[in-house]
Amino acid sequence: PVFTQEIYSFVVFENVALGYHVGGVSAHTMDLNINITYLITTGDQKGMFEINKMTGLITTASIIDREERAFYQLKVVASGGTITGDALVNITVRDLNDNSPHFLHAVESVNVVENWNTGHTIFQAKAVDPDEGANGQVAYSLKQNPKNLFSIDERSGAISLTGLLDVNDGSYQVEIMASDLGVPERFSSFILTVSVHDVNDNPPVFDQLSYEVVISELEPVNSRFFSVYASDKDSGTNGEIAYNIIEGNTGDA
């Protein structure tokens, strides 16, 4: 038998229903009394397609996933008695927007310090989408942006500061969303915890600018006669205060 073409080319979209008609092949022989039968011999190890042995019609036998495999080359053999002929069948699988962008983790965290300037990049978000073309292109946005202190680059996913962070807030929960450019649009999101740490950027402040005290010359040695008080807005060890006399203590009185 001789096929009408040496190479057949068909296109099919992924996720089509079982039994979808991909295309047909045809062979003929000079002996009109011989029935020709068709068989797929190579190129379809997982049995994604089947061929009607009498008509040569190729249909889907399983769900086709472009992300798993985007191209098949089948070898089809036509048999007529003891004589055979063969042809190649190229099947290209076209993409559907059946995958959402995917972040590696559902939750991420980052440590920052309170005095970082506006524009400082604090995190790099990254999502992947295995779809093809616009279906696989990812755009980033912020779904939850506490106090509008953060911004994200739509294309790169870089997150930067738009204002000064307050260590008294402790941390911020930022929800980052990745959307593809397909139709319909598909998206996913994750939560970034931004923990703010203190910087020693506040000096201790006394509760008065000056103090005045009168003491008797008869006051015993090591007796307590007065106290001063200072506070520091920093937290942790940065806010702990130690006192000492640096001037005016003549004779270590």
Side-chain angles (χ1 to χ4, degrees):
V2 178
F3 281 91
T4 57
Q5 299 174 215
E6 292 184 359
I7 300 176
Y8 295 83
S9 296
F10 304 117
V11 174
V12 61
F13 279 95
E14 63 177 334
N15 299 335
V16 294
L18 299 183
Y20 178 84
H21 291 188
V22 177
V25 299
S26 178
H28 59 84
T29 179
M30 297 297 292
D31 189 345
L32 300 179
N33 294 319
I34 293 179
N35 291 325
I36 297 175
T37 59
Y38 301 91
L39 178 68
I40 297 173
T41 58
T42 62
D44 186 24
Q45 294 85 349
K46 292 187 176 181
M48 308 302 290
F49 304 94
E50 61 184 11
I51 189 168
N52 186 302
K53 67 178 183 178
M54 301 305 297
T55 66
L57 176 65
I58 299 172
T59 57
T60 55
S62 185
I63 298 298
I64 309 298
D65 184 0
R66 189 206 66 86
E67 285 72 49
E68 181 177 335
R69 187 171 174 181
F71 178 78
Y72 295 83
Q73 186 174 74
L74 314 180
K75 183 178 181 181
V76 177
V77 172
S79 300
T82 59
I83 303 174
T84 63
D86 59 69
L88 294 178
V89 177
N90 294 332
I91 301 175
T92 300
V93 183
R94 290 286 174 82
D95 186 54
L96 290 177
N97 193 22
D98 58 345
N99 291 282
S100 299
H102 173 68
F103 290 102
L104 295 180
H105 304 99
V107 177
E108 293 270 14
S109 61
V110 63
N111 294 315
V112 303
V113 293
E114 61 174 339
N115 66 343
W116 279 355
N117 293 327
T118 298
H120 190 104
T121 299
I122 64 169
F123 188 79
Q124 178 66 58
K126 179 64 177 177
V128 294
D129 190 323
D131 288 319
E132 186 179 36
N135 294 338
Q137 294 180 24
V138 178
Y140 300 92
S141 61
L142 296 181
K143 188 175 181 181
Q144 180 177 309
N145 186 7
K147 299 183 179 180
N148 290 319
L149 289 172
F150 308 92
S151 67
I152 189 167
D153 187 285
E154 181 182 21
R155 300 187 66 178
S156 71
I159 299 174
S160 56
L161 300 177
T162 59
L164 294 178
L165 305 181
D166 187 350
V167 69
N168 295 318
D169 289 336
S171 65
Y172 302 91
Q173 303 291 312
V174 182
E175 186 172 3
I176 302 166
M177 186 166 69
S179 307
D180 63 31
L181 304 184
V183 178
E185 178 186 75
R186 299 179 71 97
F187 58 88
S188 62
S189 64
F190 81 98
I191 298 295
L192 174 67
T193 299
V194 181
S195 298
V196 185
H197 296 273
D198 184 55
V199 172
N200 193 17
D201 56 352
N202 291 287
V205 177
F206 284 96
D207 59 351
Q208 295 180 209
L209 294 177
S210 64
Y211 300 88
E212 184 175 335
V213 62
V214 177
I215 183 173
S216 170
E217 64 179 358
L218 300 178
E219 190 75 28
V221 175
N222 292 329
S223 65
R224 293 186 178 183
F225 63 90
F226 188 72
S227 65
V228 296
Y229 175 77
S231 60
D232 192 318
K233 292 182 179 180
D234 291 316
S235 60
T237 56
N238 292 335
E240 295 178 1
I241 298 174
Y243 300 88
N244 60 79
I245 299 172
I246 61 173
E247 187 177 326
N249 188 20
T250 304
D252 292 331

